[in-house]
Amino acid sequence: MQSLRRRVWATRFFENSVPDAFDAHFFNGLLGISKGVVGKYAIAAKAAGLSWAEIEPLDEAALERRLFAHLGQADKPVIPDYAAVHRELSRKGVTLMLLWQEYQANHLGQRTLQYSQFCERYRQYAKTLKRSMRQVHRAGEKLFVDFAGPTLALSDGSRAHLFVSALGASHYTYAQALPGQRTADWIAGMTGALHFMGGVPELVVPDNARAVIARPDRYEPRANDTVLDFAQHYGCTVLPARPRTPQDKASVESAVQVVERWVLARLRHRPLADLAAANRAIQPLVHELNARPFQKLPGSRASVFNELDAPALRPLPAQRYEYARFKSVRVHVDYHVEVERHRYSVPHALVGAMLDARITAHTVELLHRGRRVAMHVRNARAGGFTTVEAHMPAAHRAHRQWTPQRLIDWGLGVGLATGTLVEQLLHRHKHPEHGYRSALGLLSLAKRYGPARLEAACALALQLHSCYYRTVRDILINGRDRLTPIESADWQSPPHEHLRGAQSYH
């Protein structure tokens, strides 16, 4: 809006006899004032009985009172509450046109501003605000995050780094002391911020730190796998600010400065034993910061958050995010992958494939092309194996199902002699599993010769005290199990020239 004094000065110029063509060029081009506006002020000055000698020493406020003193209050337009207008623009879908229409509807029968003047006055009002406050952010849309530059000294000699976040619409601020600025620290700060606010924004805007952004590109940036996993868990997206463009996250830049002055400066002489003590000291200061009234806007960060951002945030998931890191692993020929010197099984069909291992404090998930194919409880035993039976081939699964007692029970199912022979096969070795092959060999004989012949062959092998798989096999091949057994009590050896008696050994 042009100053009142400038318009009245144009009125003095208008009263001089200047050609019309020059008038139009001067007023419109140089002063930005139409001849009609100048004429309106000339009429007002004449009606108020003001001369230029009286006008020149007056300031803006006094000039306005003298110039429009003859007008009634009803002739003055109703001025909108531009602080409320600025706040309403933070809501989704709200525009200046809509707010002007509502302003017109709320003041029917009164003199109101036209749309052009309504917008012009709002722009003039917005210029009086801080640069970061002039940005119009939608409620619940963006959360800006960053680390403060200064650190906080702890009693043990270490220093705590301060994570800061601020919502775009309300500037609702959160701060947390962390041991560093690694990916795990950033995730811890983000998790704390979201649960402090009680909801999830649509977009998280960090800087291009290497711990967060794997590929800092101006046009196609990409966050690292852990950050993307975090965003998927909470149902939001991560879009970093443009490299070397801090104005993209001016809200958090301002919040960092405020936190440094309101929190760090107040704690600079306070002894803090560790991170937990630092965060206990920071928490009440953050609540006080959010409760402080704005200087040029109505309300505070907390009140505007409750009014605008809180209803627009998405709900939190049922569980907090558990920090996970990712590693590429290859499936070995034994259908296991190695993670931190422990081997975990995957479906045997994936032998030779590259998988992504998602590693948390308690679990190991194995992903193939984004789809989970196996999940195990994390095991810290180096050199050990964690195997799921369903991942094994059918032959391996069948072999694993055999146990000493199961083999003995199978033998007893054929007959007493077979069960006794299987038991002796297993007990012959120091470890029973060494006798599995012999026992499984007997199983194959039962399929080929039938249970009855196998039982007879095992009984004969026991009589011969030759408890071996090959003995039973040879008996079945030669058919000796089919011969009629000879009772030893009725049989006597016939005389033979090759047989000698006991007297031959004296």
Side-chain angles (χ1 to χ4, degrees):
M1 183 185 299
Q2 301 290 342
S3 68
L4 185 62
R5 178 172 295 278
R6 188 177 184 183
R7 296 187 181 211
V8 175
W9 183 86
T11 301
R12 185 187 181 193
F13 185 86
F14 178 75
E15 292 175 348
N16 297 329
S17 299
V18 181
D20 291 343
F22 184 76
D23 287 350
H25 172 74
F26 183 81
F27 294 136
N28 294 332
L30 300 181
L31 298 179
I33 304 172
S34 67
K35 289 180 62 177
V37 172
V38 173
K40 182 183 72 171
Y41 281 96
I43 294 172
K46 185 176 181 180
L50 294 173
S51 64
W52 180 250
E54 296 174 305
I55 291 173
E56 192 168 10
L58 298 178
D59 58 18
E60 289 280 328
L63 178 59
E64 184 176 8
R65 288 193 299 270
R66 293 286 302 275
L67 196 61
F68 300 108
H70 66 288
L71 297 177
Q73 188 67 27
D75 294 330
K76 295 183 179 180
V78 178
I79 305 301
D81 182 0
Y82 282 109
V85 170
H86 182 79
R87 185 71 66 215
E88 287 297 313
L89 284 174
S90 298
R91 299 184 186 275
K92 291 184 178 180
V94 177
T95 62
L96 280 172
M97 174 60 76
L98 175 63
L99 294 176
W100 175 73
Q101 292 172 347
E102 293 177 349
Y103 155 74
Q104 293 276 349
N106 292 335
H107 298 92
L108 293 175
Q110 297 177 281
R111 185 181 175 192
T112 56
L113 299 175
Q114 293 302 309
Y115 179 66
S116 60
Q117 275 298 306
F118 180 87
C119 296
E120 177 64 23
R121 293 194 182 209
Y122 169 72
R123 284 190 288 270
Q124 293 296 326
Y125 168 80
K127 289 180 181 179
T128 66
L129 304 177
K130 292 182 180 180
R131 179 170 184 168
S132 60
M133 295 292 289
R134 290 206 310 271
Q135 296 180 3
V136 178
H137 298 292
R138 304 304 178 196
E141 182 183 31
K142 292 181 181 180
L143 177 69
F144 300 89
V145 298
D146 200 359
F147 279 93
T151 55
L152 193 62
L154 302 179
S155 300
D156 60 1
S158 63
R159 304 195 70 87
H161 297 253
L162 203 63
F163 174 90
V164 181
S165 69
L167 284 165
S170 64
H171 295 262
Y172 196 58
T173 302
Y174 172 77
Q176 180 179 347
L178 296 168
Q181 299 186 20
R182 299 168 301 175
T183 304
D185 302 318
W186 190 89
I187 293 293
M190 277 300 309
T191 304
L194 296 185
H195 288 268
F196 174 79
M197 296 183 302
V200 182
E202 297 178 11
L203 193 64
V204 176
V205 183
D207 56 10
N208 286 271
R210 185 175 299 180
V212 181
I213 305 302
R215 188 177 63 207
D217 185 80
R218 182 182 180 90
Y219 303 104
E220 293 183 346
R222 183 186 181 279
N224 64 37
D225 291 335
T226 299
V227 174
L228 292 175
D229 186 61
F230 165 86
Q232 183 179 11
H233 178 82
Y234 283 102
C236 60
T237 56
V238 177
L239 180 64
R242 292 171 296 173
R244 298 178 295 279
T245 313
Q247 59 267 30
D248 284 2
K249 51 185 180 68
S251 295
V252 75
E253 296 288 345
S254 173
V256 165
Q257 186 181 61
V258 171
V259 167
E260 289 174 1
R261 296 172 179 175
W262 188 263
V263 176
L264 290 180
R266 283 169 169 77
L267 297 177
R268 69 187 186 279
H269 298 310
R270 182 171 173 178
L272 300 170
D274 51 22
L275 283 173
N279 282 313
R280 286 194 297 270
I282 289 171
Q283 185 176 7
L285 295 176
V286 170
H287 285 292
E288 291 178 17
L289 170 63
N290 287 322
R292 286 180 60 201
F294 289 125
Q295 292 183 356
K296 296 184 179 181
L297 290 172
S300 63
R301 290 173 173 84
S303 64
V304 178
F305 169 77
N306 293 328
E307 178 186 353
L308 289 180
D309 279 324
L313 294 175
R314 299 174 181 176
L316 291 168
Q319 295 180 344
R320 292 174 73 97
Y321 177 74
E322 184 179 13
Y323 175 74
R325 55 190 180 86
F326 289 79
K327 177 184 178 182
S328 295
V329 292
R330 186 177 293 278
V331 183
H332 299 303
V333 69
D334 62 352
Y335 47 88
H336 284 71
V337 299
E338 184 173 346
V339 177
E340 295 180 342
R341 301 179 64 191
H342 190 88
R343 293 172 175 83
Y344 301 90
S345 68
V346 299
H348 66 90
L350 295 174
V351 169
M354 289 296 296
L355 306 182
D356 292 321
R358 182 180 183 270
I359 309 165
T360 68
H362 304 97
T363 61
V364 173
E365 294 180 65
L366 298 163
L367 312 173
H368 182 241
R369 297 178 180 175
R371 183 176 63 89
R372 187 172 68 187
V373 295
M375 183 174 180
H376 301 274
V377 176
R378 189 172 174 181
N379 194 320
R381 184 165 63 92
F385 285 81
T386 299
T387 306
V388 175
E389 187 173 314
H391 296 162
M392 305 172 70
H396 293 194
R397 190 162 55 247
H399 176 76
R400 190 179 185 185
Q401 290 172 351
W402 293 109
T403 63
Q405 188 57 48
R406 183 178 179 187
L407 290 170
I408 294 172
D409 292 341
W410 167 80
L412 291 174
V414 176
L416 181 60
T418 305
T420 304
L421 184 61
V422 169
E423 187 173 4
Q424 293 192 20
L425 284 173
L426 297 175
H427 290 170
R428 177 180 297 117
H429 300 282
K430 184 176 181 179
H431 195 286
E433 193 169 341
H434 289 176
Y436 282 6
R437 292 188 181 182
S438 298
L440 293 172
L442 291 178
L443 175 61
S444 64
L445 293 176
K447 292 180 179 179
R448 182 175 179 181
Y449 296 100
R453 290 193 62 188
L454 177 59
E455 175 67 14
C458 289
L460 185 54
L462 290 172
Q463 289 179 10
L464 299 173
H465 301 288
S466 182
C467 300
Y468 297 98
Y469 160 76
R470 64 179 178 272
T471 301
V472 178
R473 181 198 60 190
D474 293 343
I475 291 172
L476 291 170
I477 292 174
N478 297 327
R480 292 181 60 190
D481 58 298
R482 294 178 174 177
L483 297 178
T484 302
I486 302 174
E487 296 294 337
S488 59
D490 299 335
W491 181 82
Q492 292 183 356
S493 175
H496 197 278
E497 61 180 352
H498 296 295
L499 296 178
R500 295 178 292 175
Q503 67 275 7
S504 300
Y505 297 95
H506 290 291

